[in-house]
Amino acid sequence: MLVQRISPSRRYLPSTCLLLHVLLVVASAEAQSSPQPPNRANKAKAEMTRGEASQPTQRMTWRRPTPKKPASTTSDIDIVESDSSVNPVSLNVFEPLPSDQVHGGCVTCGAASCPGECDADGCDVGARGMGVGGMSVAGGPFEIWVRAEYLLWSLDGAALPALITTSPSGTAAQDIGRLDRNARVLFGGDDVGDSARSGGRATLGFWADSSRMIGFEGSYLGIGRDHESFHADSGSFANLARPVFDMGTNTEAAMIVAQSGVTSGNVTASFSNDLQLAELLGRQQISGSDCDRFDWLLGYRHGRLDERLRIDQSTTFTAAQGPIIAGTTSSLFDRFETENRFHGGEFGLNYRRFRGPWTVSALAKLGVGVNHAAVTIDGRTTNTVPGGGTGAFAGGLLAQSTNIGNYTQSDFAVMPELGLMLVGNVNRSTQVSIGYSLLYWSVVARAADQIDRRVSQFPPEPPSGTRNPAFNFETDGFFAQGLSAGVLFQF
């Protein structure tokens, strides 16, 4: 092999230059590819990235707030491994707080409540005080309420004068039935129509707004007719009579119905009355809290009171009496009827206090308006004479031509009413109640007050003297009161 020999100076110079050139190229390449020294934030980020790459799969969840720990580098957002034994807590904005975290209120209602008055649904019963009995939740599903009540009421008695009397057998004819001769009163002389009787009241109402601030209701109340009657005949009483005051002699007197050994006869008296009330009301809340509520009431009221009194008698002469032959029969009746119609505006207040499942309701209303009264007085006498035919004419004993007729009168009247009711919640849509009510009607015409027991003539005599009985339009006050038991449904 042929070797070329080179001198030292030529051998190292080219190699040295080549080495320097290679070093310069390498240094330049490293300078272009190498990054600048990282700052502290980039360094932390890089370290976290490297840490994440070395960890198993993770997920992020929310924890309940916990007491603060000493400051550390750990973020408020915890990193929990998927295979960790820690049970993650999911975020649920509808989850109610534990019972020990409810402070003076109920979560469902979100309102302060009276202590210990949250129901099974976690809602304060008081906060439901928008319904009639305190159950509807504001903005809840109930828009209409219906209440049905059974009533046990008594009406103010009618003060009847003595209408039927009896005297012992053997009493002189001129003394039979006279009140000043110790006659015994069989019917009248006291109050009638005041016994307790059944009735009913129905109420329908609805809310005009979802907040239960404004509502409307209509109600009807009816007290059943109380009918009292009395019947007597000569088979039970030797002497029967109808007492009056004789204006001709200015003394007590009587018309004989039955007299022992002279006449036989019978007499029947009956009295009845009934009460009806109706109203249309608007109600608006004027104040309230979780445990009580005040409502203002405004509307229309109608009242109706009717009374009827009738007396029928029949007398047959068993023996001739002067021109009256035996077998002659005289039958007559007196009838007194009154009708009262009240029309007026009404305003009032309704206060309710909620206590757990119970509600106490106090009611005060005042009707102001006009009472239209009508009075009807009628009577008739029919005489039958054997072989002589039958004759009839207007007028009886207390209803004669001097007072028979139809009369009307209108008067200013007021009708206040007070009520107290205890209501219990059965469930969210049903309530039961018991209560008491007192009603006063300032001006009414009553049947008993239209009787004038003074007479200036006896049928068939024509009117004479003072022309009594006379008619004077008599009015008086009227009370009604009683208990109620009802059930209410909300829809």
Side-chain angles (χ1 to χ4, degrees), residues 149-153 201 420-421 433-437 482-486:
E149 297 174 86
Y150 167 77
L151 305 180
L152 183 63
W153 279 33
R201 175 164 49 195
L420 187 64
M421 182 178 294
S433 64
I434 56 173
Y436 169 80
S437 297
L483 303 175
S484 65

Side-chain angles (χ1 to χ4, degrees), residues 145-163:
W145 69 85
V146 177
R147 170 179 281 142
E149 297 174 86
Y150 167 77
L151 305 180
L152 183 63
W153 279 33
S154 62
L155 307 185
D156 202 2
L160 291 177
L163 297 176

Side-chain angles (χ1 to χ4, degrees), residues 178-374:
R178 290 177 55 170
L179 295 178
D180 61 349
R181 296 293 188 268
N182 298 320
R184 181 163 63 95
V185 178
L186 298 177
F187 184 77
D190 57 2
D191 292 349
V192 296
D194 56 352
S195 59
R197 83 280 297 272
S198 297
R201 175 164 49 195
T203 304
L204 174 65
F206 66 92
W207 295 111
D209 62 335
S210 60
S211 62
R212 288 3 183 223
M213 297 290 290
I214 301 176
F216 298 91
E217 65 182 30
S219 67
Y220 169 79
L221 178 151
I223 304 299
R225 179 177 298 181
D226 181 34
H227 185 83
E228 295 189 25
S229 61
F230 175 82
H231 176 80
D233 56 43
S234 53
S236 302
F237 300 93
N239 298 312
L240 289 172
R242 295 181 58 191
V244 294
F245 186 84
D246 189 348
M247 296 296 292
T249 61
N250 287 322
T251 60
E252 289 289 336
M255 171 181 276
I256 296 176
V257 176
Q259 180 182 357
S260 178
V262 179
T263 61
S264 64
N266 61 79
V267 59
T268 300
S270 63
F271 174 86
S272 64
N273 63 359
D274 60 84
L275 173 68
Q276 300 178 63
L277 300 171
E279 59 185 4
L280 294 173
L281 290 175
R283 64 168 59 233
Q284 180 174 3
Q285 181 178 359
I286 55 178
S287 67
S289 68
D290 296 331
C291 298
D292 58 7
R293 172 177 174 140
F294 255 114
D295 282 356
W296 171 261
L297 307 175
L298 183 65
Y300 162 79
R301 159 154 278 187
H302 172 70
R304 176 171 179 167
L305 174 65
D306 296 337
E307 292 189 338
R308 306 157 198 84
L309 172 66
R310 179 168 173 137
I311 307 166
D312 292 270
Q313 73 177 66
S314 179
T315 300
T316 301
F317 286 84
T318 58
Q321 294 291 311
I324 303 175
I325 65 175
T328 299
T329 300
S330 178
S331 299
L332 60 87
F333 74 87
D334 297 325
R335 179 169 61 91
F336 299 85
E337 294 185 357
T338 58
E339 296 180 352
N340 296 274
R341 303 292 183 266
F342 175 86
H343 299 274
E346 184 174 57
F347 61 92
L349 290 173
N350 182 202
Y351 173 74
R352 282 166 288 166
R353 175 71 179 179
F354 312 113
R355 187 70 179 177
W358 300 100
T359 300
V360 177
S361 176
L363 179 69
K365 296 185 290 187
L366 177 64
V368 179
V370 176
N371 182 65
H372 300 282

Side-chain angles (χ1 to χ4, degrees), residues 124-168:
D124 175 44
V125 175
R128 302 182 181 194
M130 303 300 181
V132 173
M135 284 187 56
S136 293
V137 182
F142 301 125
E143 301 290 346
I144 300 174
W145 69 85
V146 177
R147 170 179 281 142
E149 297 174 86
Y150 167 77
L151 305 180
L152 183 63
W153 279 33
S154 62
L155 307 185
D156 202 2
L160 291 177
L163 297 176
I164 302 173
T165 56
T166 185
S167 297

